[in-house]
């Protein structure tokens, strides 16, 4: 009987417990009703929980009386006690995180508490990366990260981007390391221009990069590790800073599909000012120094309205196999230049699966992109349609040559270029170059990765990752007969290459996270990695200028007169083996000590005394607001300090000189460069000290972070002329020289107004960097040219004691009072030697972002400014020489150019020169470049978005939707230069601070539609 009573009591007890368990459904949104994806919903006091899906919906089993804790990064946490309700809809109030509980991703994908960091890092979330979308994700962070300079290339849509973190520090490579989900990305480019003229075949062509192939909609957030302490765990790869990309992953709950459609329309933002009021002396003249007369304006009509259409579809869901994310995106663009177009496709698949009671987590990612670009824009003087467009003499009607760019040559039985004068390397019919010098660029990128992490117990976890990535770049150019004779054979020229680069990466990392006692915490990561890459291997075909094609306009290898200009290419293979460790000790959760070390063995340093180098960092941070009683308006205060050493590896084959085949004779050539006898190579070594402080004030409504850094990079790799006795090489490579960067970074944010109906937030990013080339080997005369002038008036150099990147050129000969010194015949004179005429580095940079929310309307403004520095325009100089610039027309209207002068005998005077005399003396590609230096200061409205969030019916198919009017580079508040100083002809180290017929930058307006099902 007792057993029956006991069983009955137990039955009713279980019934009561089961009755208490209920399934709660709901949605998490912000105060405007916008769904919050991946919000955390956990049961207080337990580890059980879930996350919201793309639409903010969630479902969880919970007992009545228990408390749900709902949190989302950047928002205030809310707690709700479960009673009888079955549905809970939560609106979270936005809050600027104090840093006390925030977790950030750091080197090698290791997550750390932000308060324990001893260095500066800054994060940009997906919303900021995609709000005003760009085909290259890196362009979207311009003005949003303190200490990071973003410069777009002149390659148009699909072009690469130059990114400099805390100033130039290397003559080899200043681009940062990109890391995707903890795995280094091999961001290789097949080519970058570095000449004023440009290559005779390909021109000054931007070969692109891998980061531009990544789909912005696949990225959850981007973190920038600025200093040496932040990137020390990357050893020889981390000396230039690191940009971490974290991809999106699937979510639990019901499947969601998000469709984004973006349409953007572009027009030139800044064009040269050209004249149409003076003609040429003859119809076939190359210059326009003739009588007054009206000609038709044609330049504006040459440029099209560029259109970029991007459509992306993202699916997330879950199954018994785990969570999944699948995405596809297509980008189609037509540029502002005729016949320039792009088509890019992106595919991504990410799968996360857990086993053994969630102890083993397996994540797999596959991403693929293919891209094709027709007639990618070039810069420089060769193979550039803009040179002929701007300088065509004003006697002629451009429409005669645009509609009839070729005539039929009956004698040769081929189409023949039609132009007002004999085509040369500088001036050809723009439409002939577009249609009969057509180029095709193809890029294909594949990345596959697999990661496993296993939780052994509460304090020990082991993780391993492997990744393979490959990128192929092909280029095809057909130059038809009757193109400029100095650039092509009379029968035409054919250039084709197909290059492949690949990388294998693997690592193994053990993590220990424990507490010694109530006061001391300890976290350490110990691991090793292996990286092996292969750079630009493939085939290069070029029929050449001298040998050319046997029959005109037949573009195939069998029609080559000679194949000596064709070759197999291998730019290098490198392997880096590494071991590393990092440890963080915390005391009472307010004092943290951080230390790391890494040893790299690089195959690029074979045949040296040591192929291994050790890199280290040490730092301390203190939450001072937890130690010292602060005024009530202080919510959080932190001070930090760090010192680190990090490297920048040399290129492959530096220590193993390679023989080449002479394209003319077919004989082997000795290596042009080799190590100096008895010398030893080392990788660059960057040492940096950093100190900073972070504060949150007035109930977290205002905050700022201030950092100071001082870095020195030594062991730069230079090449010095070899003595005549060294017949086997022309140059010897040596380590030497050093570059120093010191600077200040300020990040400030404020919630100026905040209520349910209206809010106003602002973020300020300020940075100042002082750069100095402290030493250059004496064998080079304490100066080295990064872009050699040749027969031109521009040179870009490193000069000891000056900032990195000095612009050099000729100047007018003047006395101490600035008066031009005349020759005995009364003509102007210039100084024969090149001297410093400008400095391409800005004094400081400033980004100001404002966000306004008015109900469901969201307005975002980003103002981006660079202050100080100089730029040179060879475009203006050459346009002046040809008499086609508005400046030459103004001078002719004013009766010439008047200068304060002094005669050869010292007699001062006011002298007037004819416009032609003056501009043909100072202008031209090898003129007096000092007269064409401009202040690079500019302030631009970088981004604008005006959006509205719709709230569909809950029972409908559409869960959420938003529509935005977006704009980028809309107008300059201030600019003195005749072109956009934020545009670069190259993302390499040379050809900076100059415009040589680069494609004009564009302003864009468009619409962005987001719909979630």
């Amino acid at each position: 009987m007792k057993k029956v009573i006991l069983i009955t009591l137990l039955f009713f007890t279980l019934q009561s417990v089961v009755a208490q368990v209920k399934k709660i459904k709901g949605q998490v949104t912000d105060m405007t009703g916008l769904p919050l994806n991946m919000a955390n919903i956990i049961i207080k006091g337990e580890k059980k929980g879930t996350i919201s899906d793309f639409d903010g919906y969630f479902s969880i089993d919970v007992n009545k009386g228990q408390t749900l804790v709902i949190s989302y990064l950047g928002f205030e946490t809310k707690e709700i006690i479960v009673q009888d309700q079955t549905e809970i809809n939560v609106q979270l109030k936005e809050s600027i995180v104090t840093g006390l509980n925030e977790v950030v991703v750091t080197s090698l994908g290791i997550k750390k508490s932000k308060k324990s960091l001893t260095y500066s890092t800054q994060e940009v979330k997906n919303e900021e990366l995609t709000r005003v979308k760009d085909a290259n994700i890196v362009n979207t962070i311009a003005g949003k990260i303190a200490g990071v300079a973003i410069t777009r290339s002149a390659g148009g849509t699909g072009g690469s981007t130059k990114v400099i973190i805390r100033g130039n520090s290397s003559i080899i490579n200043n681009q940062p390391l990109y890391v995707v989900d903890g795995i280094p990305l091999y961001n290789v480019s097949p080519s970058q221009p570095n000449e004023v003229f440009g290559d005779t075949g390909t021109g000054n062509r931007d070969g692109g990069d891998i980061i531009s192939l990544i789909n912005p909609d696949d990225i959850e957030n981007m973190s920038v590790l600025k200093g040496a302490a932040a990137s020390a765990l990357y050893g020889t790869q981390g000396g230039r800073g690191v940009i971490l990309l974290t991809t999106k992953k699937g979510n639990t709950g019901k499947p969601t599909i998000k469709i984004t459609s973006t349409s953007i329309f572009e027009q030139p933002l800044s064009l040269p000012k050209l004249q149409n009021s003076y003609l040429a002396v003859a119809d076939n003249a190359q210059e326009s120094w003739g009588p007054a007369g009206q000609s038709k304006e044609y330049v504006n009509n040459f440029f099209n309205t560029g259109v970029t259409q991007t459509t992306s579809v993202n699916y997330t869901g879950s199954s018994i196999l785990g969570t999944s994310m699948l995405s596809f995106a297509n980008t189609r663009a037509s540029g502002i230049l005729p016949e320039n177009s792009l088509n890019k496709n992106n595919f991504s698949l990410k799968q996360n699966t857990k086993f053994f009671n969630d102890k083993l987590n397996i994540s797999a990612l596959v991403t693929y992109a293919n891209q094709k670009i027709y007639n990618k824009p070039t810069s420089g003087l060769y193979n550039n349609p803009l040179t002929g467009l701007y300088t065509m003499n004003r006697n002629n009607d451009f429409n005669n040559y645009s509609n009839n760019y070729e005539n039929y040559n009956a004698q040769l039985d081929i189409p023949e270029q039609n132009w007002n004068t004999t085509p040369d390397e500088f001036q050809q019919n723009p439409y002939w170059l577009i249609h009969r010098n057509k180029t095709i660029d193809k890029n294909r990128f594949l990345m596959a990765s697999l990661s496993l992490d296993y939780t052994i117990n509460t304090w020990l976890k082991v993780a391993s990752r492997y990744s393979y990535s490959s990128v192929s770049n092909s280029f095809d150019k057909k130059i038809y007969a009757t193109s400029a004779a100095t650039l092509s054979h009379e029968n035409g020229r054919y250039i084709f290459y197909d290059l492949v680069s690949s990388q294998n990466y693997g690592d193994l990392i053990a993590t220990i996270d424990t507490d010694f006692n109530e006061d001391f915490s300890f976290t350490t990561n110990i691991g090793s990695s292996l990286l092996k890459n292969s750079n630009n291997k493939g085939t290069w075909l070029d029929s050449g200028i001298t040998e050319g094609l046997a029959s005109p306009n037949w573009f195939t290898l069998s029609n080559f007169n000679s194949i000596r200009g064709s070759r197999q290419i291998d730019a290098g293979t490198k392997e880096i083996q590494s071991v590393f460790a990092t440890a963080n000790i915390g005391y009472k959760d307010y004092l943290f000590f951080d230390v790391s070390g890494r040893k790299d063995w690089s195959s690029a340093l074979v045949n040296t005394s040591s192929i291994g180098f050790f890199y280290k960092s040490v730092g301390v941070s203190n939450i001072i607001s937890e130690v010292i009683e602060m005024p009530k308006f202080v919510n959080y205060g932190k001070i930090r300090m760090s010192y680190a050493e990090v490297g920048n590896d040399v290129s492959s084959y530096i220590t193993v000189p390679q023989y080449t085949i002479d394209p003319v004779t077919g004989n082997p050539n000795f290596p042009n460069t080799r190590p100096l006898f008895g010398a030893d190579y080392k990788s660059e070594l960057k040492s940096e000290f950093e100190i900073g402080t972070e504060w949150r004030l007035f109930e977290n409504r205002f905050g700022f972070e201030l950092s100071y850094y001082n870095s020195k990079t030594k062991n730069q790799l230079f090449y010095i002329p070899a003595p005549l006795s060294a017949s086997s090489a022309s140059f010897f490579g040596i380590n030497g020289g050093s570059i120093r960067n010191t600077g200040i970074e300020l990040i400030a944010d404020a919630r100026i107004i905040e209520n349910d109906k209206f809010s106003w937030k602002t973020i300020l990013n300020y940075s100042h960097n002082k750069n100095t080339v402290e030493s250059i080997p004496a064998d080079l005369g304490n100066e080295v040219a990064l872009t050699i002038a040749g027969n031109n008036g521009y040179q870009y150099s490193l000069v000891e004691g000056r900032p990195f990147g000095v612009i050099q050129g000729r100047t007018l000969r003047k006395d101490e009072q600035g008066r031009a010194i005349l020759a005995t015949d009364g003509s102007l004179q210039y100084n024969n030697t090149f001297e410093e005429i400008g400095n391409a580095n800005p004094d400081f940079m400033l980004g100001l972002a404002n966000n306004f929310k008015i109900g469901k309307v969201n307005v975002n403004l980003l103002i981006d400014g660079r202050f100080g520095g100089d730029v040179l325009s060879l475009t203006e100089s050459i346009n002046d020489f040809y008499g086609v610039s508005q400046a030459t027309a103004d001078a002719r209207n004013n009766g010439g150019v008047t200068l304060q002068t002094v005669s050869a005998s010292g007699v001062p005077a006011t002298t007037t020169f004819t416009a032609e005399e003056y501009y043909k003396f100072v202008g031209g590609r090898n003129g007096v470049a000092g007269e064409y230096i401009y202040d690079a200061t500019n302030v631009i409205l970088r981004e604008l978005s005006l959006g509205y969030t719709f709230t569909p019916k809950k029972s409908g198919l559409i869960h959420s939707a938003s529509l935005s009017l977006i704009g980028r580079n809309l107008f300059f508040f201030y600019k003195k230069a005749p072109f956009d100083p934020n545009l670069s002809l190259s993302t390499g180290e040379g050809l900076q601070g100059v415009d040589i017929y680069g494609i004009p930058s564009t302003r864009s307006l468009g619409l962005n539609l987001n719909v979630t099902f």
Side-chain angles (χ1 to χ4, degrees):
M1 185 65 183
K2 290 182 178 180
K3 289 183 179 181
V4 173
I5 295 174
L6 182 61
I7 292 172
T8 303
L9 289 174
L10 181 60
F11 173 77
F12 282 106
T13 302
L14 289 173
Q15 284 276 70
S16 176
V17 172
V18 171
Q20 297 294 319
V21 179
K22 58 198 309 182
K23 184 177 288 294
I24 296 293
K25 295 182 179 180
Q27 185 184 31
V28 184
T29 66
D30 64 10
M31 300 303 293
T32 67
L34 185 68
L36 296 179
N37 172 35
M38 298 187 71
N40 292 302
I41 303 96
I42 64 172
I43 300 172
K44 190 173 184 178
E46 298 184 12
K47 293 184 178 181
K48 182 180 179 181
T50 186
I51 59 175
S52 61
D53 62 20
F54 260 135
D55 302 315
Y57 291 107
F58 69 91
S59 174
I60 189 171
D61 292 329
V62 62
N63 292 327
K64 182 178 179 180
Q66 288 186 310
T67 300
L68 291 180
V69 181
I70 300 95
S71 62
Y72 189 80
L73 189 61
F75 289 76
E76 294 180 1
T77 299
K78 181 175 286 189
E79 296 186 359
I80 298 177
I81 300 175
V82 177
Q83 298 296 340
D84 296 325
Q85 69 269 48
T86 58
E87 183 175 331
I88 297 177
N89 294 317
V90 184
Q91 283 190 314
L92 296 183
K93 187 177 182 181
E94 196 164 357
S95 171
I96 298 178
V97 179
T98 63
L100 285 174
N101 301 307
E102 187 176 0
V103 175
V104 295
V105 179
T106 65
S107 295
L108 300 173
I110 298 170
K111 293 183 179 180
K112 290 186 178 182
S113 170
K114 184 173 175 58
K115 64 185 176 183
S116 69
L117 297 184
T118 62
Y119 46 79
S120 175
T121 181
Q122 210 167 339
E123 186 179 65
V124 181
K125 298 191 179 301
N126 174 263
E127 182 184 6
E128 291 291 330
L129 299 174
T130 58
R131 179 188 292 127
V132 183
K133 193 170 293 183
D134 191 280
N136 189 332
I137 188 174
V138 179
N139 291 330
T140 61
I141 66 172
K144 299 176 183 178
I145 303 288
V148 179
I150 304 295
T151 308
R152 299 180 62 159
S153 80
T157 302
S160 57
T161 299
K162 187 177 181 68
V163 181
I164 302 296
I165 300 177
R166 290 186 172 178
N168 292 283
S169 61
S170 169
I171 68 169
I172 299 175
N173 180 17
N174 285 289
Q175 292 276 53
L177 171 69
Y178 293 92
V179 177
V180 179
D181 291 340
I183 296 172
L185 181 70
Y186 193 32
N187 190 42
V188 64
S189 174
S191 66
Q192 281 298 321
N194 194 36
E195 301 177 20
V196 174
F197 287 110
D199 184 84
T200 61
T202 62
N204 266 346
R205 170 181 165 272
D206 174 14
D209 55 13
I210 296 179
I211 194 67
S212 63
L213 299 175
I214 289 180
N215 179 15
D217 288 313
D218 286 344
I219 304 303
E220 183 68 33
N221 60 65
M222 175 189 294
S223 298
V224 180
L225 308 181
K226 303 176 186 178
S231 59
L233 277 180
Y234 288 106
T236 57
Q237 295 180 289
R240 309 169 309 271
V242 180
I243 294 181
L244 305 176
L245 302 173
T246 302
T247 61
K248 294 179 179 179
K249 59 183 179 181
N251 59 272
T252 57
K254 66 177 183 179
T256 61
I257 298 176
K258 182 176 182 180
I259 299 176
T260 301
S261 178
T262 306
S263 299
I264 297 174
F265 303 91
E266 295 180 297
Q267 289 188 330
L269 175 62
S270 181
L271 286 171
K273 295 180 179 179
L274 303 173
Q275 65 91 7
N276 294 286
S277 55
Y278 286 89
L279 307 177
V281 295
D283 290 346
N284 62 350
Q286 285 194 324
E287 302 164 5
S288 296
W289 290 110
Q294 197 64 35
S295 61
K296 294 181 179 179
E297 200 291 318
Y298 60 90
V299 171
N300 290 330
N301 293 331
F302 174 81
F303 293 99
N304 297 327
T305 296
V307 180
T308 301
Q309 175 65 47
T310 302
T311 303
S312 68
V313 181
N314 185 290
Y315 165 84
T316 60
S318 61
S319 65
I320 58 173
L321 297 176
T323 61
S324 304
M325 187 279 291
L326 177 65
S327 72
F328 167 76
N330 172 256
T331 302
R332 291 180 179 270
S334 58
I336 60 173
L337 293 184
E339 301 299 316
N340 168 226
S341 64
L342 172 146
N343 186 23
K344 179 173 68 171
N345 295 295
N346 292 88
F347 305 86
S348 289
L349 172 63
K350 191 172 187 179
Q351 179 73 32
N352 291 80
T353 306
K354 294 184 178 182
F355 300 96
F356 309 125
N357 295 323
D358 295 346
K359 288 188 174 182
L360 175 63
N361 181 41
I362 300 177
S363 178
L365 171 67
V366 178
T367 182
Y368 173 77
N370 63 64
Q371 176 178 270
K372 180 185 288 188
I373 303 176
Y374 289 95
N375 282 344
K376 177 182 283 189
T378 61
S379 62
L381 305 181
Y382 290 166
N383 303 289
N384 188 346
L386 297 186
T387 57
L389 175 72
Y390 293 162
T391 63
M392 185 196 77
N393 86 53
R394 297 314 194 241
N395 278 26
N396 295 277
D397 185 348
F398 186 74
N399 291 331
N400 293 336
Y401 302 102
S402 61
N403 299 329
N404 306 287
Y405 60 86
E406 63 185 15
N407 297 320
Y408 177 68
N409 187 318
Q411 182 180 356
L412 299 176
D413 192 27
I414 59 172
E416 182 179 55
Q417 180 174 181
N418 179 30
W419 191 231
N420 69 293
T421 185
T422 302
D424 60 22
E425 70 275 11
F426 173 69
Q427 200 182 81
Q428 300 188 70
N429 187 320
Y431 284 95
W432 172 269
L433 290 174
I434 289 169
H435 292 280
R436 297 304 187 191
N437 281 222
K438 184 172 288 187
T439 64
I440 303 175
D441 288 79
K442 294 181 181 179
N443 312 98
R444 296 169 296 279
F445 170 62
L446 171 68
M447 181 176 181
S449 63
L450 179 68
S451 65
L452 301 88
D453 63 80
Y454 185 77
T455 302
I456 298 176
N457 51 43
T458 57
W459 55 270
L460 177 61
K461 183 173 73 173
V462 178
S464 181
R465 293 172 295 206
Y466 172 76
S467 170
Y468 171 79
S469 60
S470 172
V471 61
S472 63
N473 303 282
S474 70
F475 176 76
D476 184 293
K477 183 172 186 178
K478 299 176 176 69
I479 304 176
Y480 278 68
T482 73
S483 295
T486 51
L487 304 179
S488 174
H489 186 265
E490 62 181 5
N491 287 337
R493 183 179 180 183
Y494 181 45
I495 302 170
F496 173 83
Y497 70 67
D498 192 0
L499 306 176
V500 178
S501 300
S502 63
Q503 176 175 280
N504 286 272
Y505 175 84
D507 63 24
L508 178 65
I509 304 174
T511 301
I512 298 175
D513 187 358
T514 187
D515 294 330
F516 292 138
N517 51 45
E518 293 183 356
D519 292 338
F520 287 94
S521 63
F522 176 73
T523 303
T524 185
N525 304 93
I526 303 171
S528 65
S529 67
L530 174 67
L531 181 147
K532 186 174 182 179
N533 57 47
S534 173
N535 183 16
N536 285 335
K537 289 189 176 182
T539 303
W540 185 296
L541 306 178
D542 185 357
S543 62
I545 300 173
T546 305
E547 293 85 359
L549 300 176
S551 299
N553 304 336
W554 185 20
F555 302 103
T556 180
L557 181 61
S558 62
N559 194 39
F560 282 26
N561 281 320
S562 171
I563 61 171
R564 288 176 178 170
S566 304
R567 57 198 183 275
Q568 295 295 116
I569 291 179
D570 180 1
T573 300
K574 182 190 293 187
E575 182 174 310
I576 300 176
Q577 301 174 4
S578 311
V579 293
F580 49 83
T582 178
N584 182 279
I585 300 175
Y587 175 69
K588 291 188 175 181
D589 217 28
Y590 65 74
L591 182 64
F592 302 91
F593 177 75
D594 197 80
V595 62
S596 74
R598 174 170 173 138
K599 182 72 175 284
D600 282 346
W601 292 270
S602 173
S603 64
L605 294 171
V606 69
N607 295 333
T608 64
S609 61
S610 175
I611 64 172
F613 288 90
F614 182 71
Y615 305 101
K616 55 186 177 292
S617 74
V618 60
V620 62
S621 68
N622 177 226
I623 313 302
I624 194 171
S625 56
E626 298 292 306
V627 180
I628 301 174
E629 185 175 350
M630 296 286 178
K632 290 185 178 181
F633 68 86
V634 177
N635 304 108
Y636 174 78
K638 170 185 171 180
I639 55 176
R640 52 179 171 75
M641 183 185 304
S642 64
Y643 173 82
E645 294 177 356
V646 68
N648 190 9
D649 203 6
V650 299
S651 303
S652 304
Y653 301 154
I654 293 293
T655 61
V656 185
Q658 299 294 293
Y659 286 79
T660 58
I661 301 297
D662 190 292
V664 177
T665 65
N667 298 323
N669 289 330
F670 284 103
N672 190 44
T673 61
R674 58 165 297 159
L676 180 65
F677 296 112
D680 214 0
Y681 277 151
K682 299 177 181 178
S683 64
E684 290 179 4
L685 182 65
K686 179 179 183 179
S687 56
E688 182 178 79
F689 168 77
E690 179 180 339
I691 187 171
T693 185
E694 303 169 27
W695 294 86
R696 307 297 315 167
L697 311 170
F698 306 113
E699 298 299 323
N700 295 320
R701 296 191 64 161
F702 175 74
F704 69 90
E705 178 179 346
L706 182 66
S707 302
Y708 166 80
Y709 60 88
N710 188 326
S711 71
K712 180 178 181 179
T713 307
K714 62 181 183 179
N715 299 336
Q716 305 283 340
L717 180 60
F718 290 97
Y719 290 98
I720 62 174
L724 295 177
S725 58
S727 59
S728 63
S730 301
F731 296 92
F732 284 147
I734 62 170
N735 282 124
S738 62
I739 299 172
R740 184 175 295 277
N741 284 277
T742 59
I744 296 173
E745 296 166 354
L746 172 65
I747 308 162
D749 62 83
R751 291 181 293 168
I752 300 173
I753 300 175
E754 186 176 50
N755 55 55
D756 294 341
K757 296 183 178 180
F758 177 73
S759 66
W760 175 17
K761 296 189 304 179
T762 185
I763 300 176
L764 174 74
N765 288 288
Y766 167 87
S767 61
H768 161 73
N769 182 77
K770 182 180 179 181
N771 177 284
T772 306
V773 179
E774 291 194 332
S775 64
I776 292 177
D779 301 271
L780 295 171
N782 306 113
E783 181 176 319
V784 59
L786 297 178
T787 298
I788 299 173
N791 295 323
N792 301 289
Y794 159 84
Q795 184 162 286
Y796 187 70
S797 302
L798 297 183
V799 179
E800 188 173 296
R802 301 296 299 145
F804 186 107
V806 165
I807 303 171
Q808 295 178 317
R810 299 184 184 91
T811 58
L812 281 177
R813 187 170 295 178
K814 297 180 179 181
D815 65 6
E816 294 180 354
Q817 299 180 41
R819 298 174 298 188
I821 301 174
L822 301 180
T824 54
D825 63 356
S827 62
L828 292 168
Q829 302 179 91
Y830 57 73
N831 296 306
N832 289 319
T833 58
F834 274 36
E835 57 187 80
E836 180 178 341
I837 57 176
N839 164 27
N841 298 279
D843 296 328
F844 66 92
M845 299 183 296
L846 190 68
L848 178 63
N850 283 278
N851 171 261
F852 304 91
K853 285 186 177 181
I854 310 169
K856 296 182 180 181
V857 177
N858 199 316
V859 181
N860 289 274
L861 297 167
L862 174 63
I863 299 173
D864 187 15
R866 296 192 188 189
F867 300 85
D870 307 289
V871 289
L872 168 68
S873 177
L874 282 188
T875 305
E876 290 292 314
S877 178
I878 297 172
N879 286 348
D880 283 353
F881 182 88
Y882 278 78
V884 297
S885 67
Q886 184 59 43
T888 64
D890 293 340
R892 281 176 273 194
N893 292 337
N894 296 328
V897 178
T898 301
L899 301 176
Q900 296 300 312
T901 64
V902 59
S903 68
S905 59
V907 178
T910 300
T911 306
T912 298
F913 301 90
T914 68
E916 185 174 3
E917 285 177 332
Y918 177 76
Y919 284 112
K920 292 195 74 171
F921 180 81
V922 300
R925 62 177 177 81
N926 58 353
V928 184
E931 297 300 297
Y932 294 93
I933 283 288
Y934 305 90
D935 181 7
T937 299
N938 69 96
V939 181
I940 190 172
L941 180 58
R942 183 69 70 193
E943 288 186 7
L944 167 68
S945 69
L946 173 62
Y948 182 83
T949 301
F950 300 91
T951 307
K953 295 181 180 180
K954 292 183 179 180
S955 59
L957 178 66
I958 298 176
H959 293 310
S960 64
S962 64
L963 179 66
S964 302
L965 173 68
I966 59 176
R968 177 176 293 278
N969 302 334
L970 291 179
F971 60 85
F972 286 98
F973 294 99
Y974 179 90
K975 178 177 73 74
K976 289 293 186 181
F979 64 97
D980 185 352
N982 302 305
L983 208 62
S984 176
L985 300 187
S986 172
T987 59
E989 306 318 310
L991 214 60
Q992 302 298 308
V994 65
D995 175 48
I996 312 170
Y997 291 93
I999 182 176
S1001 60
T1002 59
R1003 65 164 55 91
S1004 63
L1005 276 172
L1007 292 173
N1008 188 29
L1009 174 66
N1010 294 280
V1011 181
T1012 303
F1013 299 92

